Amino acid sequence: MAYLVTGGAGFIGSHITEELLKRGDEVIILDNMYSGRFENLAANPKAVFVEGSIMDTKILESICTEYDVEGIFHLAAVASVQKSIENPSLVHEVNVTGTLSVLEAARKHGVHKVVLSASAAAYGDNPVFPKREDMLPEPLSPYAVSKIAAEMYCKTYAELYDLQTVSLRYFNVFGPRQDPNGEYAAVIPKFTEKICAGESPTVFGDGNQTRDFVFVKDVARANLLAMDSAVCGLFNIGTGVQTSLNDLAKMIMDAAGVSVKMKYEAAREGDVRYSVADISKAERELGYKPEWDLGEGVKETVEYFRSL
């Protein structure tokens, strides 16, 4: 089977590509290298790389035609809350219009399924725990709005056209190849880089805010399960376990064998206070169950950063 991975030179996309190649699939990566990294491409040399944008409909259509694409893993996006607050028009164009371009190429060229990388940012700061897919969206940023709009396009295309779609709402993804200085850089790579260097990581807020940290290899596996299944719809991808940033920092220090003081600054606009996923729907309908616990994933991530 041939699969297109938009944003395949990025953190999560490179891991999905790796899993597809392992099982013998043909993979075409489309990435404009806005946030993709050539090191990630080097990790998957058997993949076909096309440098270009999802906004270029001719490139999308030529890939779907030339390679007889069976499915599209759509990860290309501007994945930054802060960037969306600074430049909402750019984020809308890439995340919403870009998703529409991908769906149109899939519809016109007989692609079987599109799996969208969505975001738990859709839930906002709703105090209900855990977060369920049937909760009303409460976006706190243009980024969250753009991801919800992309989900709605996927849902509508599945209902109107002969195209299956799945939207996966990722919680806090982490692991090897995550760029601590990139737009998607979550707290774990930032903390890990600082702690391994013996420096004080910065916490925005009091550190008691919680997140559901999910290892990237579990996220990659969830994408393949979604593509291979016969179901459509919206699914949370997390672990169902929440961890405070203070506890996370201690865990990283223990794994690195380093002790440093934390530096606390004011909370950032658009950040949510508490977050944890209800993953029962993904377990039931996709067969998804996380195989990596946070401690194991942190150790692997620390080892990766030390190998750089």
Side-chain angles (χ1 to χ4, degrees), residues 129-180:
F129 282 89
K131 308 299 185 187
R132 303 184 317 274
E133 293 90 344
D134 59 0
M135 293 168 62
L136 289 175
E138 296 187 13
L140 296 176
S141 66
Y143 168 72
V145 172
S146 74
K147 283 297 189 178
I148 295 165
E151 291 176 3
M152 291 296 100
Y153 266 120
C154 286
K155 181 177 183 292
T156 302
Y157 267 64
E159 292 169 350
L160 288 178
Y161 308 112
D162 187 22
L163 174 64
Q164 294 185 13
T165 65
V166 169
S167 296
L168 301 179
R169 280 185 181 169
Y170 303 154
F171 280 67
N172 289 75
V173 189
F174 75 100
R177 302 186 197 141
Q178 192 169 19
D179 182 1

Side-chain angles (χ1 to χ4, degrees), residues 204-220:
F204 294 97
D206 60 12
N208 291 320
Q209 62 266 46
T210 64
R211 297 290 183 267
D212 185 334
F213 297 104
V214 56
F215 195 55
V216 66
K217 291 182 181 179
D218 280 326
V219 172

Side-chain angles (χ1 to χ4, degrees), residues 53-73:
S53 169
I54 55 171
M55 308 303 295
D56 190 329
T57 56
K58 290 183 179 179
I59 288 181
L60 278 169
E61 293 187 8
S62 67
I63 291 172
C64 290
T65 302
E66 181 178 351
Y67 294 97
D68 191 21
V69 171
E70 172 71 12
I72 300 175
F73 295 89

